[in-house]
Amino acid sequence: RSWCASSPRARARPSGKYAMSTTHHTLGSIAVPRGMVWVDEFDWVPVERAVAYSLTGALLVDVAPRLAGRPITLAGEVDAGWLGRGVVAQLYALAGSTSATHTLTLADGRAFTVMFAPDSPFEAKPVGRPELPTATNPYYATLRLIEV
């Protein structure tokens, strides 16, 4: 369901910690469209649990908080979250750099310290098949990051 600023529900919307909204996310100084959605936001839990049985048959449960490692995957689609080829080139270079961490600020104002995921950190595909792509040709991409 979309949110409309003129609807009665919108006027009653609380101004909470993340009420700020911009037209884009940023990774370092690179603007990324907010149409790139955090697709695995709720696939990770902040607690690690391990279950084992003792020699007597008793159940042993270890529980501890996870301190880091939350995946943040921003994904565009064929019809949303497009990047220009110039931005794709910047993200590709950033993914291949030796800089360890970056600040990711989402369009809603939440900020995370992240690094690129070790396996397949970035992929981008052109929208259509341009023979001679320019810096503005649209691409849809997936950024795989890990909160540190």
Side-chain angles (χ1 to χ4, degrees):
R1 191 173 221 180
S2 64
W3 182 80
C4 176
S6 63
S7 74
R9 287 181 61 189
R11 286 189 293 275
R13 186 177 180 183
S15 59
K17 184 176 178 183
Y18 305 117
M20 182 189 85
S21 182
T22 64
T23 59
H24 59 274
H25 311 301
T26 57
L27 182 59
S29 62
I30 302 171
V32 178
R34 71 178 182 188
M36 291 187 73
V37 177
W38 184 358
V39 295
D40 54 1
E41 182 173 5
F42 299 106
D43 293 350
W44 185 84
V45 292
V47 175
E48 184 67 29
R49 294 177 180 90
V51 177
Y53 289 92
S54 72
L55 294 176
T56 64
L59 179 65
L60 303 173
V61 180
D62 286 325
V63 180
R66 291 180 174 175
L67 303 178
R70 181 179 192 173
I72 299 177
T73 304
L74 298 177
E77 296 290 333
V78 173
D79 60 351
W82 292 356
L83 301 167
R85 189 173 192 276
V87 175
V88 168
Q90 289 178 317
L91 290 169
Y92 181 75
L94 191 61
S97 75
T98 57
S99 299
T101 62
H102 312 280
T103 299
L104 170 68
T105 305
L106 299 178
D108 64 10
R110 293 179 288 168
F112 303 91
T113 301
V114 298
M115 63 184 294
F116 282 93
D119 297 324
S120 191
F122 178 70
E123 63 183 65
K125 296 179 180 170
V127 175
R129 296 177 49 101
E131 290 183 18
L132 299 171
T134 66
T136 59
N137 277 94
Y139 282 69
Y140 61 100
T142 300
L143 283 170
R144 291 180 189 87
L145 307 166
I146 299 172
E147 185 178 13
V148 293

